[in-house]
Amino acid sequence: RVPDKKSFEEKLAEGCSVKKVIGVVSGKGGVGKSLVTSLMACQMRARGYKVGILDADITGPSIPKSFGIHDPLCVTPDGKLLVPAVSSTGIEVISSNMLLEHESDPVIWRGPVIAGAVKQFWNETYWKDIDYMFVDMPPGTGDVPLTVFQSLPVDGILIVTSPQELVSMIVGKAVNMAKKMDVPIIGLIENMSYLECPDCGKKISVFGESKVEEVGKEYGIPVLAQIPIRPEIAGSVDEGTVEYVKAEFLEKAAEAVEKL
Ligand code: ADP
Ligand code: MG
């Protein structure tokens, strides 16, 4: 699709730039990585920054849908670089979903092709003056996270956990990978932490007592947010309106990213 390869350095000379790259990781699927990626992008956008999302979950892309983006992928007029789609609040998004003829088509690619797509989304995409780029990762410590850490200048990672997980072990794995890859950990975000009582607003724990604070202390990593289970969050992801979700619980996380 892209006839001429260009290194990111050359693109920088043309005005492409990304100031900070933040990876969003977790031990397993379904804990809310994509949600945290989307909501964090929105938080930074609301603070006036130019924000991009690189959807590195090539075989399970979900970012475009949550932003209501249905555009196919475009290229620059000279055909050399991919052009991200832009959400209604101006967040720039690139995802394998935008390469599919039908959104429900599966991505059935082998490892090297998947890794190639991630590299292309970084190296051969017209990212212009991005202050914060969030990289939504597939779960675990497999091929794609490795490619991301080796091919992108990741400035820090956010680790997403849920109370159901074996948090200590999963955080331990992420910490070790980050150390090996020489990437700083910004902090932990626990998703689906509690339900809110509709009458009194009191927090009700669903999956038992959260261990995230304990685990944070154990590894010396700050807990930046605990996200409640809210029906409107699930609804917004399905309806493509994630930009309009009130996410006051991410203030501290946004401040931590700002300080990177
Ligand atoms: P992951 O990217 O880690 O696989 P997702 O972000 O796609 O996980 O979340 C999995 C599903 O759970 C999505 O359908 C999402 O709408 C829902 N979900 C995630 N977090 C919440 C929450 N805090 N409240 C309600 N629904 C949530
Ligand atoms: Mg996901």
Side-chain angles (χ1 to χ4, degrees):
R1 272 183 149 262
V2 181
D4 190 8
K5 289 187 189 280
K6 248 179 188 288
S7 74
F8 200 65
E9 281 69 36
E10 281 175 72
K11 278 196 301 164
L12 286 174
E14 287 175 3
C16 280
S17 74
V18 178
K19 293 200 184 95
K20 296 285 175 194
V21 178
I22 297 113
V24 181
V25 309
S26 79
K28 65 169 190 176
V31 298
K33 255 179 324 321
S34 300
L35 176 80
V36 167
T37 304
S38 302
L39 292 181
M40 282 302 295
C42 296
Q43 285 287 315
M44 300 317 284
R45 182 73 192 126
R47 286 167 184 242
Y49 296 108
K50 272 206 78 181
V51 178
I53 300 179
L54 191 160
D55 187 353
D57 196 349
I58 304 292
T59 54
S62 62
I63 297 292
K65 185 168 186 274
S66 65
F67 282 89
I69 292 172
H70 304 286
D71 312 328
L73 208 50
C74 296
V75 291
T76 46
D78 60 8
K80 287 181 180 167
L81 297 173
L82 303 171
V83 179
V86 184
S87 78
S88 53
T89 61
I91 296 170
E92 301 191 17
V93 176
I94 204 145
S95 169
S96 65
N97 216 40
M98 294 150 68
L99 293 166
L100 307 175
E101 196 176 345
H102 306 289
E103 280 180 356
S104 53
D105 287 348
V107 176
I108 314 170
W109 298 345
R110 291 198 187 272
V113 181
I114 294 173
V118 172
K119 287 184 200 161
Q120 190 173 11
F121 286 173
W122 170 252
N123 280 318
E124 295 165 31
T125 297
Y126 191 66
W127 295 114
K128 190 156 168 53
D129 302 326
I130 301 290
D131 295 307
Y132 294 101
M133 172 179 288
F134 291 90
V135 182
D136 186 18
M137 304 266 219
T141 50
D143 209 22
V144 169
L146 199 56
T147 300
V148 170
F149 287 129
Q150 288 178 336
S151 315
L152 272 68
V154 181
D155 292 284
I157 57 167
L158 293 167
I159 303 174
V160 184
T161 66
S162 80
Q164 299 139 287
E165 286 181 296
L166 300 162
V167 180
S168 181
M169 188 186 76
I170 282 162
V171 171
K173 282 185 194 216
V175 169
N176 285 333
M177 183 161 195
K179 265 196 199 139
K180 282 200 177 118
M181 296 290 151
D182 211 11
V183 180
I185 296 166
I186 308 166
L188 297 176
I189 295 183
E190 186 183 64
N191 186 28
M192 308 191 201
S193 295
Y194 56 90
L195 270 170
E196 293 147 312
C197 170
D199 300 321
C200 63
K202 225 179 112 193
K203 295 177 181 180
I204 307 161
S205 64
V206 187
F207 304 111
E209 212 49 50
S210 164
K211 294 190 185 66
V212 72
E213 289 288 351
E214 230 172 86
V215 171
K217 279 208 186 85
E218 185 184 336
Y219 292 99
I221 308 165
V223 177
L224 299 173
Q226 289 187 287
I227 306 180
I229 302 167
R230 283 186 187 158
E232 75 257 31
I233 290 181
S236 75
V237 172
D238 291 338
E239 287 154 21
T241 55
V242 78
E243 284 168 294
Y244 307 103
V245 167
K246 217 173 121 270
E248 73 292 348
F249 42 76
L250 285 177
E251 279 287 307
K252 200 170 140 192
E255 278 164 25
V257 167
E258 217 164 25
K259 281 196 207 113
L260 256 186

